């Protein structure tokens, strides 16, 4: 009875999340997106056109690095689950990793110009894995876990996810809108990228501190489980008995492959299809602003139709936007309109995907008897990095196969086609796959019954 009363008390408290705390939580993804958006939109472009590294070699490095990421994500999930401090499980890591995260962002865009080709590849391999495998994992897995530690209320988790994605999109706007102008301001050379990311790195530290100070962890395990350390093997077995976790993890991989391929090819699309790389900024700004506006009306749709249906609907809208890019050609009006539709689709996907991961925690606890927030939320970081890495590798490989040459002012017909494949056709195919995966997800209908069963134990 004491445990039941405690849980009910926690649920009452956790269902009343202030606007300030929602904003503070969202600031975490604003900080994370300084790296994510840069890696998606500019990293390959920086490597090929400024650092002088081949697209194929970079793609191979990114693909190999993904083999390490699965282990680091799971390891960080276990570390979060075992963390005990006065600040909770997740918040301490946001504080600890804010400065290393900023330094890593600078190193990523600081390939020394005087290095030989082989030495450059070694530098790229080391810094890319430092960022993706180690530092991003150490801050993003705890951040993803924080949602489930703030509240157990399914609707509030959805609202937190909306704030997260609104501010994440603001991060994309900052990166996509200011990166090239800042690079040009600092001299439009390789060192200009380093200076640009020093500015972004300082900004990321500030917003991570807002997240740390402005959020509170409320959700705790039962007395019986509070001091119990779940063995790694037991936790992994429990993880893979969670069918809904498997489904959303696969879906996240698909989502981030699309984000990476589409985002990474955007600057190439603007430069060689539309004829002006400066069009990249207004196109992406239009999409991001549309996404932010649409995010503000997502909560009632989530409440009425459920996260799964909103995610699928957003995916369908994304496919329609890509078809519009396909048939609109080089018409500026058509491209802007397609970008608006793309932003609406991204709002449906972005508002729900991370909240769905948190919801699978209760299902896993009900199914296996073990509550492992960190391990389950490693899916967010795993999905990002595997999806982003595979997307970048695929993008590099397709550009290489198409004969893209970074130093060439005019590209071959096959190179132009490879850019269109990455920007339009592949995202359509992969988005169809994520719709198929999510069609089997039924937890929205089962969640309240499961939570009631857990509270009545």
């Amino acid at each position: 009875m004491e445990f039941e009363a405690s849980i009910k008390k926690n649920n009452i408290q956790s269902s009343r999340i202030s606007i300030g705390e929602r904003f503070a939580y969202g600031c975490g993804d604003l900080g994370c997106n300084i790296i994510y958006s840069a890696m998606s939109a500019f990293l390959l472009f920086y490597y090929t056109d400024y650092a002088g590294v081949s697209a194929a070699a970079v793609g191979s490095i990114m693909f190999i690095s993904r083999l390490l990421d699965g282990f680091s994500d799971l390891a960080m999930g276990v570390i979060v689950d075992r963390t005990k401090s006065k600040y909770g499980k997740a918040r301490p890591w946001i504080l600890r990793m804010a400065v290393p995260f900023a330094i890593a962002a600078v190193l990523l865009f600081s390939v020394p110009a005087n290095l030989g080709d082989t030495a450059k590849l070694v530098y790229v391999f080391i810094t890319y894995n430092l960022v993706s495998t180690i530092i991003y994992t150490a801050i993003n897995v705890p951040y993803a876990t924080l949602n489930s530690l703030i509240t157990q209320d399914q609707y509030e988790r959805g609202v937190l996810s909306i704030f997260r994605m609104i501010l994440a999109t603001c991060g994309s706007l900052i990166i996509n809108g200011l990166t090239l102008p800042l690079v040009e301001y600092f001299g439009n050379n390789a060192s200009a990228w380093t200076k640009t990311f020093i500015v972004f790195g300082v900004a990321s530290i500030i917003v991570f501190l807002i997240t740390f100070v402005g959020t509170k962890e409320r959700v705790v395990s039962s007395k019986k489980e509070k001091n119990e350390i779940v063995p790694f093997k037991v936790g992994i077995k429990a993880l893979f008995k969670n069918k809904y976790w498997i489904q959303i993890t696969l879906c996240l991989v698909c989502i981030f492959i699309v984000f990476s391929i589409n985002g990474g090819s955007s600057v190439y699309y603007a430069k060689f299809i539309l004829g002006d790389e400066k069009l990249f900024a207004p196109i992406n700004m239009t999409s991001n602003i549309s996404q932010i506006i649409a995010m503000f009306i997502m909560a009632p749709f989530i409440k009425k139709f459920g996260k799964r249906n909103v995610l699928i609907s957003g995916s369908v809208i994304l496919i329609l936007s890509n078809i519009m890019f396909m048939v609109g050609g080089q018409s500026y009006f058509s491209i802007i309109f397609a970008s608006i539709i793309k932003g609406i689709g991204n709002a449906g996907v972005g508002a729900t995907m991370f909240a769905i991961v948190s919801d699978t925690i209760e299902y896993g606890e009900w199914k296996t008897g073990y509550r492992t927030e960190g391990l389950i939320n490693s899916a967010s970081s795993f999905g990002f990095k595997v999806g982003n890495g595979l997307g970048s590798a695929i993008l590099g490989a397709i550009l290489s196969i198409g004969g893209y040459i970074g130093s060439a002012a005019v590209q071959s017909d096959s190179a132009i086609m490879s850019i269109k494949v990455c920007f339009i056709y592949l995202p359509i195919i992969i988005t169809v796959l994520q719709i198929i995966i999510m069609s089997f997800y039924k937890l929205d209908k089962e969640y309240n019954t499961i939570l009631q069963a857990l509270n009545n134990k």
Side-chain angles (χ1 to χ4, degrees), residues 250-251 254 319 427-438:
L250 292 175
C251 185
C254 290
I319 292 172
I428 290 176
I429 294 170
I430 298 170
T431 303
V432 169
L433 178 58
Q434 76 191 37
I435 291 172
I436 294 172
I437 292 170
M438 289 308 295

Side-chain angles (χ1 to χ4, degrees), residues 53 77 149 196 202-203 374 415 429:
V53 183
L149 293 170
T196 297
V202 172
I429 294 170

Side-chain angles (χ1 to χ4, degrees), residues 41-42 44-46 48-50 180 188 193 263-284 330 335 399 404-411 415-416 419-420 423:
F42 295 109
L44 188 60
F45 180 65
Y46 162 74
T48 57
D49 288 38
Y50 286 84
L180 294 180
N188 199 24
W193 287 85
S265 60
S266 294
V267 66
Y268 296 100
Y269 188 83
K271 185 175 182 178
F272 294 106
I273 307 300
L274 304 180
D276 185 359
E277 68 181 72
K278 291 182 180 179
L279 289 175
F280 168 83
I283 289 171
N284 278 274
Q330 293 179 285
I335 289 167
L399 290 178
Y404 176 82
I405 301 172
S407 58
V410 179
Q411 300 293 333
I416 295 297
I419 293 171
K420 290 181 178 179
F423 188 75

Side-chain angles (χ1 to χ4, degrees), residues 76 92-103 134-140 142 205 208:
M76 194 64 209
W93 291 102
I94 295 172
L95 178 64
R96 293 166 186 167
M97 301 309 300
V99 172
F101 184 90
I103 294 172
I134 300 174
I135 294 178
Y136 188 90
T137 298
I139 200 164
N140 192 257
I205 293 172
F208 279 129

Side-chain angles (χ1 to χ4, degrees), residues 82 228-241 368-370 372 375:
R82 298 185 180 189
E228 179 183 346
I229 295 177
V230 179
F232 180 73
K233 288 184 179 180
V234 173
I236 293 296
K237 287 181 180 179
L239 196 62
F240 285 94
K241 288 180 181 179
T368 67
Y370 296 102
T372 53
L375 201 54

